[in-house]
Amino acid sequence: MHGHRPRTPETERSRRWFMNKALLAGGVAAVATMTGCSSSSSDTASSASSSAAPGGAPSGMPSGGPGGGGGGGMGPGASQVKYADVVGVTTDGKVVDDLYTIHSTDVSTDALVKAAQAFLDGLSTKERKSCVFDIDADEWTAWSNVDGYDRKGVRMGDLTEKQRELGYALLGKALSADGLTQTRGIMKLNAFLGDSNGGGQKTLTEGHYFFTFMGTPSTSEPWGFQYEGHHVAINYFVLGDQVVMTPTFMGSEPTTGTYKGEKITLFKPETTVGLTMIRSLTAAQLKKAVSSQSNGNEDMKAGAGQDNLKLAYEGLKCSELTSAQQEKLLDLARVYIGYINEGHAEVKMTEVEKHLDDTYFYWMGETEDDSAFYYRIHSPVVLIEYDAQAPLFYKGDTATASAGASAGSNDGGPGGGMGMGGGTPSQEHIHTIVRTPNGGDYGIDLLKLHLENDH
């Protein structure tokens, strides 16, 4: 046993207490104080922020928005499901049995295991102890997409250049080239956002991303790792040559920017291929696929803390699609699943295709090129969500907490809202998530089968 205690929600409660106090104080100054994302915050406000977080949590307001139990919010906090209690995403609380089996995929994980071992071997004894947990640790479910969340593990920004290179090498074996580019792009735009707010915010940098490991890298025994920070949470379980990379959260605000001379554009495929899919539907199909409700500021359902989410199927059942339309849906699913390494992406796509007739496609919002919308792909073995939200601190070339973010205001412009109903959803702030319903997340079902049959 590694002796780590699961993270408790006390830190999150202390941060919520301070934010509520700041909101009651009213005005943009209070919002800027609690966000830590404004270069104009006063020394007095900073001092108050520091003293209000006795649990050691950063005082910065996450630009993921404080949505709490929904998709994007403050992290799992009190809503965190303990690992032993994870049932998984279901339609009604009842798990569909016999969806997953232990079998050979013929996709080697040898290079992945070696890369993980090399990263761990490159850490000091203290660093390694801080980031290694038991295979069934509650740390699995303690992930969050927000910037100020109090994380465990080793922080990339605190490592040496050589250690970071070993970390990126591990990600390079775990992810596809597109997946690694996406992940690095999110990290860079996080730093871009921080620079746009005047800098000095530790959480809004390339370095504020953490590795934790569950179990010991092995070609035969179960193990996994978690890579987590603002707008990224990758949960990666390995058993033999089987891999599960869910839940995986990826997002960004903004989604375009130039960082250190590099022009970065994120979520273009997720947006354009989604539009291709919805535009392929007939009028009759659209009536079933598109909600009568317009998309809101935060529609994601399966975010942090939602490991036992009950989510009924909605939208158009894919058995009602033509073969050409089904291919378009698979193309859309492949964008997300394609962020895992190529061999295991094909394994997962085969699983998705097997349940295609029982897959649903659901849409909220308009369908213009620049529309902000929400969509969902949902089947017994995959749940994918795309959610365009209101930018919180980025507007044009300047990131700012706008007047629309003031306490009691719901009429902020594109840069306002604080994720609490104000502001206008935009493609400049996108959240996505991929899950494996019915006990597949974190490889939990595979681990149970492994323990039942091999031990």
Side-chain angles (χ1 to χ4, degrees):
M1 301 292 287
H2 297 289
H4 285 281
R5 291 181 298 172
R7 178 162 51 225
T8 60
E10 280 78 10
T11 298
E12 289 305 303
R13 287 199 290 267
S14 69
R15 294 179 69 242
R16 285 195 181 97
W17 173 87
F18 176 71
M19 289 192 304
N20 288 337
K21 182 177 180 180
L23 281 173
L24 288 172
V28 177
V31 172
T33 298
M34 72 178 179
T35 64
C37 290
S38 171
S39 59
S40 62
S41 298
S42 69
D43 293 339
T44 301
S46 298
S47 175
S49 170
S50 176
S51 65
S59 62
M61 169 68 180
S63 58
M74 287 292 294
S79 69
Q80 180 189 346
V81 179
K82 301 303 182 183
Y83 183 91
D85 298 326
V86 174
V87 174
V89 175
T90 62
T91 58
D92 58 2
K94 299 177 182 178
V95 173
V96 178
D97 294 325
D98 302 324
L99 290 173
Y100 314 111
T101 62
I102 295 177
H103 62 276
S104 175
T105 64
D106 294 323
V107 181
S108 175
T109 56
D110 289 356
L112 174 67
V113 170
K114 290 178 181 178
Q117 290 172 334
F119 177 75
L120 287 170
D121 289 344
L123 300 177
S124 68
T125 300
K126 182 179 179 180
E127 289 168 336
R128 183 163 182 155
K129 184 178 180 181
S130 73
C131 72
V132 178
F133 297 78
D134 296 317
I135 186 62
D136 58 352
D138 290 337
E139 186 62 25
W140 274 121
T141 63
W143 62 270
S144 172
N145 58 283
V146 300
D147 64 326
Y149 189 63
D150 186 24
R151 295 178 166 88
K152 306 293 186 186
V154 287
R155 180 180 179 271
M156 290 289 270
D158 295 333
L159 300 179
T160 66
E161 183 177 354
K162 184 177 180 180
Q163 288 173 320
R164 284 195 296 271
E165 288 176 354
L166 290 171
Y168 290 132
L170 169 56
L171 290 177
K173 296 300 181 183
L175 307 176
S176 66
D178 287 343
L180 182 59
T181 298
Q182 175 95 331
T183 302
R184 292 291 288 116
I186 293 169
M187 296 169 64
K188 292 172 183 177
L189 286 185
N190 185 51
F192 173 83
L193 178 64
D195 291 346
S196 298
N197 278 285
Q201 178 78 355
K202 183 178 180 180
T203 63
L204 299 180
T205 60
E206 275 192 83
H208 204 67
Y209 292 83
F210 296 73
F211 269 111
T212 53
F213 290 79
M214 272 54 85
T216 302
S218 168
T219 56
S220 58
E221 294 302 308
W223 68 282
F225 73 88
Q226 191 175 71
Y227 188 70
E228 184 192 2
H230 187 206
H231 281 137
V232 173
I234 298 171
N235 292 280
Y236 207 101
F237 174 85
V238 185
L239 177 61
D241 63 8
Q242 288 181 269
V243 165
V244 177
M245 195 176 86
T246 61
T248 288
F249 182 105
M250 291 187 176
S252 190
E253 182 199 3
T255 56
T256 57
T258 300
Y259 179 67
K260 293 184 177 180
E262 179 185 358
K263 179 64 180 295
I264 302 169
T265 300
L266 301 177
F267 299 101
K268 196 68 173 178
E270 291 87 342
T271 300
T272 58
V273 181
L275 286 169
T276 297
M277 176 59 204
I278 193 68
R279 290 169 180 173
S280 74
L281 302 183
T282 66
Q285 290 171 327
L286 286 170
K287 288 182 179 180
K288 295 182 179 181
V290 180
S291 171
S292 59
Q293 176 185 355
S294 62
N295 64 306
N297 189 17
E298 190 173 341
D299 296 303
M300 181 178 282
K301 303 297 184 184
Q306 298 301 301
D307 292 311
N308 287 348
L309 174 70
K310 296 178 185 178
L311 183 64
Y313 292 128
E314 293 183 273
L316 177 66
K317 195 173 184 180
C318 292
S319 58
E320 300 180 44
L321 298 176
T322 66
S323 58
Q325 290 170 327
Q326 288 181 343
E327 284 302 316
K328 286 181 172 61
L329 184 82
L330 291 172
D331 287 343
L332 181 55
R334 194 172 285 111
V335 170
Y336 295 85
I337 293 169
Y339 288 139
I340 197 172
N341 67 73
E342 288 81 356
H344 288 105
E346 288 305 312
V347 172
K348 181 62 181 180
M349 284 304 302
T350 298
E351 184 178 75
V352 171
E353 291 180 40
K354 181 180 177 181
H355 297 272
L356 186 58
D357 283 349
D358 294 321
T359 301
Y360 288 76
F361 182 63
Y362 178 68
W363 186 282
M364 297 173 65
E366 302 298 325
T367 60
E368 300 301 319
D369 287 351
D370 60 352
S371 296
F373 47 78
Y374 166 95
Y375 65 74
R376 180 163 76 232
I377 298 173
H378 190 185
S379 87
V381 297
V382 72
L383 172 62
I384 296 169
E385 291 187 277
Y386 168 109
D387 188 17
Q389 302 189 352
L392 302 179
F393 296 105
Y394 185 79
K395 185 175 182 181
D397 294 327
T398 304
T400 178
S402 76
S406 300
S409 173
N410 269 341
D411 57 357
M418 296 294 293
M420 292 183 283
T424 303
S426 161
Q427 290 183 16
E428 280 298 340
H429 190 186
I430 291 173
H431 286 185
T432 69
I433 195 163
V434 183
R435 282 187 178 268
T436 307
N438 294 296
D441 278 342
Y442 312 105
I444 283 180
D445 198 64
L446 291 182
L447 180 60
K448 288 179 180 178
L449 290 172
H450 171 75
L451 294 176
E452 289 171 0
N453 297 323
D454 297 340
H455 289 268

